[in-house]
Amino acid sequence: PGGGGRARRFFHAPTGIEVPIGERYAAPMKERIGGPRNIVAGLGLLVTRTIGRWVPDPFLIAIGLTALTAVLALTVPGTFATSDPQTDGSTPSRIALLLEAWWSDDGLWKFLKFGMQMAMVLVTGYALAASPPIRRGIDAISDLPRSTTSGVVLVSAIAVGTGLLNWGLALVVGALLARGVGRSLERRGIPCHYPLLVAAGYTGMLVWHGGFSGSAPLQMTTPANATAVLPDSMVAEYAANGIPLSETILSPMNLFVSLGLLLVVPLAFLLLVPSTPDAFQSPKRLDIDLDDDATTSEPMNPIEVVLGVALGVALLAGFVVYLGSSTGGIGRLGLNQINAAMLGLGLILHGAPTRYLRAVEDAAKGCAGIIVQFPLYAGVMAMMAVSGLLGLFAEAAIAASTPATLPLFTTASAAIVNIFVPSGGGQWAVQGPIALVAGVDAGVPVGKMVMSVAYGDQLTNMLQPFWALPLLAITRVRARDIVGYTALVMLVAAVWIMIGLLVF
């Protein structure tokens, strides 16, 4: 202003940088018209600030879905068509049948074994990620990003990569890395958008079912598990040897889809980074303290170390023997084998059983929501099964499809069902037979139908916050803070998966 004096300047609080006042207004204008990246980033902020406000606590979602499933089972035409013949078709008898199915051992308590397997995946993954070598690696990697942009790309790439190895490991590595990068950026005075980093850390659950902890393909590798899922008409043909991983996880289609997501997901997050630091939400701005995680380094008892390492080596040796056996091999890996290997590796890297146990105790806190909610979702599964509601969902998608589009509609129906029942193995137990029979009738390979269900299940993890509970506990953000970003990345991933299903 006024004459040729020094231009007025202002202090930009989020960055701590003093800039000419003209740039204060010019820069946002350039950003508003600056291309697709700014449009996508603005959309991410809009979705997060709108939808995010209405996302309730995950436990409330489980209770609400229980009530919604009961209402739909009693009101949707065509339900209870093949239910217990003792019912007379009246509403009271249907309510009684629904309540009985929900309350029974095959309802609330059906997946206690599977739930324990899932808890072990989480606990062993967490303990491995919390081991000193892995934590040092995470801390070192956390200091690499020089901006939120590079941070979200790095976090999402590592989360997706570890998600293909083990979903429990991915949840914890993604959470710890997101927290570490956020803490490092804030410590160095670099603008940080913490919710976006946390959303990037959750993306391991967007790819997990196409990786080596995917419950549907792993459940189908052994004859016993395959027999439990396959309908009678398919047992003789497929249950003798199971369905090997070469037709599912290691198939060319899944390699294209899952490895492609290693590039697609980080690119999507790159576009979601807000253009102006004003839109960033740092941990301090969210009133989150990331510097209170004390670590211990007490000396270890040599005898304890020997015992712990010996157990870890024995578990890994058993894993190696299984891989080389005539009844095992990489194509027959199941959840039990993966958990045993993770347990053994964690024991070795921690060095002492007591240290490992403390890591497991920390991990068990993340299981709290899972322990309480898993029975509710098993109950939802039972109500959907006894009423025929799940079959109606799946068959509606199948009826509207051709052999070429059947995998697409199967994925879509699985995505919807996963919102009600966020359990890959539990969902496969009910939806799997329907999908496989439809696939055989349409001439679609069995392995492709398995992966079609798996892809749908993993997609809507980005909307259903059930499995985000451990990540939210570690990073201390709320589900509503990240759901807008994960929803948009889900849509991008859905397009990529659709391409894979159509091409192969």
Side-chain angles (χ1 to χ4, degrees), residues 224-235:
N225 288 336
T227 301
V229 174
L230 291 170
D232 294 339
S233 59
M234 300 177 63
V235 167

Side-chain angles (χ1 to χ4, degrees), residues 117-118 120-121 124 166 334-344:
Q117 288 178 315
M118 293 294 100
M120 284 295 294
V121 171
T124 56
N166 178 275
L335 289 173
N336 291 336
Q337 290 75 37
I338 295 293
N339 284 335
M342 294 288 288
L343 175 60

Side-chain angles (χ1 to χ4, degrees), residues 29 55 164 249 328 344 376:
M29 179 58 70
V55 176
L164 294 175
I249 293 175
L376 291 182

Side-chain angles (χ1 to χ4, degrees), residues 108-143:
L108 289 173
W109 317 115
K110 181 175 182 179
F111 295 129
L112 288 181
K113 175 185 175 181
F114 180 68
M116 185 60 180
Q117 288 178 315
M118 293 294 100
M120 284 295 294
V121 171
L122 174 61
V123 165
T124 56
Y126 184 105
L128 179 61
S131 65
I134 302 296
R135 285 298 296 267
R136 286 194 292 269
I138 290 174
D139 291 341
I141 293 172
S142 297
D143 289 332

Side-chain angles (χ1 to χ4, degrees), residues 102-194:
W102 178 76
W103 175 260
S104 69
D105 288 344
D106 288 330
L108 289 173
W109 317 115
K110 181 175 182 179
F111 295 129
L112 288 181
K113 175 185 175 181
F114 180 68
M116 185 60 180
Q117 288 178 315
M118 293 294 100
M120 284 295 294
V121 171
L122 174 61
V123 165
T124 56
Y126 184 105
L128 179 61
S131 65
I134 302 296
R135 285 298 296 267
R136 286 194 292 269
I138 290 174
D139 291 341
I141 293 172
S142 297
D143 289 332
L144 294 178
R146 294 292 181 264
S147 65
T148 286
T149 300
S150 58
V152 296
V153 171
L154 177 67
V155 172
S156 61
I158 292 177
V160 170
T162 52
L164 294 175
L165 295 176
N166 178 275
W167 68 262
L169 179 65
L171 265 182
V172 181
V173 167
L176 292 176
L177 188 58
R179 188 175 73 167
V181 171
R183 178 165 51 191
S184 178
L185 292 175
E186 190 171 68
R187 185 182 67 246
R188 289 178 284 161
I190 300 174
C192 170
H193 192 25
Y194 190 53

